């Protein structure tokens, strides 16, 4: 649900809130909420949360949610660092459908005031958004100059989303839903180039706009040394292991990326 870079960035954002509002354990939950966002959006969302903390109704809602989470897992209050607390909170919420629903509603309410969210990747660069939730009136993912954006296993709640890629760039979208007020579009293993927009349940094409299946920039392939079956795998997942297993013969073998 969270990755280490997002957790670290979210923890630093909460520490800045502590400087203004004092160290309060319920803010650990705000760190968890921020860690669900892509790193480019955490600082912006953190500033919005900082303003929310002056609101008594918001503070009461935060305290109530924190009471439920800490009752379900006392470790969220006992661990000695924000980073560890965020990981404990993630495990607690993932194991409780009721808490997951309440957390989603809470995050949705935070996003109501955000007008625009954007990711700009340029000059042969790469940015990745995974397992994230975005709430904004308009979202934009822009890649230029041979760059790549990856949007995977995420939800984008926006009335309109722009996917723009030029100069041999691309946006790769997989396992992601674009949700608007009047409908939704889900994309699995799609590459977009040119100007493509998603609004409610429709897709629009601007200048040079196109979509195609496949194109995962992290996919690597090779033949099984036992049965010669062609294997296609994601190198981000392979990075966590030293051996792979063939889906055909079940043979296990070492590999080097």
């Amino acid at each position: 649900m969270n990755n280490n870079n997002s957790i670290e960035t979210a923890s630093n954002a909460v520490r800045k809130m502590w400087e203004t509002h004092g160290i309060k354990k319920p803010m650990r939950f705000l760190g968890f909420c921020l860690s669900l966002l892509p790193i480019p959006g955490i600082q912006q969302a953190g500033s919005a949360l900082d303003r929310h903390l002056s609101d008594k109704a918001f503070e009461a809602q935060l305290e109530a949610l924190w009471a439920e989470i800490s009752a379900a897992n006392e470790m969220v209050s006992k661990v000695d660092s924000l980073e560890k607390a965020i990981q404990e909170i993630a495990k607690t919420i993932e194991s409780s459908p009721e808490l997951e629903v309440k957390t989603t509603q809470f995050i949705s309410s935070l996003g109501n005031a955000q007008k625009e969210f954007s990711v700009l990747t340029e000059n042969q660069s790469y940015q990745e958004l995974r397992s994230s939730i975005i709430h904004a009136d308009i979202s934009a993912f822009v890649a230029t100059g041979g760059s790549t954006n990856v949007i995977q296993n995420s939800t984008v709640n926006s009335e309109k989303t722009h996917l723009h890629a030029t100069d041999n760039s691309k946006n790769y979208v997989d396992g992601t839903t674009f949700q608007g007020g009047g409908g939704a579009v889900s994309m699995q293993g799609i590459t977009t180039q040119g100007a493509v927009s998603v609004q409610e349940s429709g897709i629009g094409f601007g200048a040079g706009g196109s979509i195609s299946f496949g194109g995962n920039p992290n996919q690597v392939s090779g033949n099984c040394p036992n049965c010669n079956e062609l294997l296609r795998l994601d190198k981000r997942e392979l990075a966590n292991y030293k051996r792979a297993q063939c889906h055909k013969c079940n043979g296990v073998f070492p590999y080097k990326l």
Side-chain angles (χ1 to χ4, degrees):
M1 198 175 221
N2 312 83
N3 62 60
N4 290 335
N5 289 337
S6 292
I7 289 174
E8 182 180 354
T9 306
S11 297
N12 290 334
V14 171
R15 291 185 180 100
K16 289 183 179 180
M17 295 181 209
W18 280 352
E19 293 174 3
T20 303
H21 303 279
I23 299 175
K24 301 175 184 178
K25 286 189 175 179
M27 290 188 192
R28 293 181 170 200
F29 175 66
L30 296 182
F32 165 76
C33 295
L34 290 173
S35 73
L36 297 177
L37 298 173
I39 289 175
I42 289 177
Q43 186 174 0
Q44 180 181 352
S47 298
L49 282 177
D50 190 68
R51 293 190 295 271
H52 278 297
L53 285 168
S54 301
D55 184 271
K56 295 297 182 183
F58 173 81
E59 189 175 5
Q61 186 182 13
L62 176 61
E63 292 278 358
L65 263 173
W66 177 251
E68 289 191 52
I69 293 168
S70 55
N73 178 8
E74 62 182 14
M75 291 302 296
V76 299
S77 296
K78 291 185 175 181
V79 292
D80 58 2
S81 73
L82 272 172
E83 288 81 1
K84 291 178 182 177
I86 289 171
Q87 292 172 332
E88 287 293 330
I89 292 167
K91 290 190 291 186
T92 306
I93 290 172
E94 285 175 348
S95 64
S96 170
E98 184 178 353
L99 279 175
E100 190 166 13
V101 169
K102 289 183 178 181
T103 298
T104 300
Q105 292 173 341
F106 180 78
I107 294 173
S108 178
S109 70
L110 297 179
N112 289 339
Q114 187 170 341
K115 297 299 181 183
E116 185 172 342
F117 172 85
S118 63
V119 172
L120 172 62
T121 309
E122 52 191 349
N123 299 326
Q124 297 183 339
S125 298
Y126 173 97
Q127 288 202 73
E128 184 175 295
L129 182 151
R130 297 179 74 189
S131 302
S132 300
I133 302 171
I134 295 169
H135 292 274
D137 290 351
I138 298 174
S139 292
F141 300 88
V142 180
T144 66
S147 299
T148 299
N149 286 320
V150 173
I151 311 159
Q152 191 165 40
N153 299 330
S154 298
T155 300
V156 181
N157 286 311
S158 296
E159 288 307 308
K160 192 166 188 178
T161 299
H162 299 284
L163 299 164
H164 195 79
T166 59
D167 302 326
N168 295 316
S169 301
K170 66 180 178 180
N171 289 303
Y172 177 72
V173 189
D174 186 47
T176 293
T177 298
F178 299 91
Q179 179 76 55
V185 172
S186 294
M187 292 189 183
Q188 303 280 344
I190 296 292
T191 293
T192 77
Q193 292 183 303
V196 177
S197 63
V198 182
Q199 187 168 10
E200 297 183 341
S201 58
I203 299 176
F205 297 91
S210 68
I211 62 173
S212 59
F213 290 96
N216 181 359
N218 295 295
Q219 187 181 82
V220 292
S221 62
N223 295 93
C224 173
N226 297 331
C227 68
N228 206 39
E229 177 75 1
L230 178 62
L231 306 176
R232 292 187 175 91
L233 301 165
D234 192 303
K235 66 182 179 183
R236 293 167 300 180
E237 303 301 329
L238 289 175
N240 298 319
Y241 303 96
K242 295 182 179 179
R243 295 177 178 272
Q245 184 174 36
C246 175
H247 61 263
K248 183 178 181 180
C249 70
N250 293 322
V252 177
F253 54 90
Y255 59 84
K256 182 182 292 184
L257 292 175

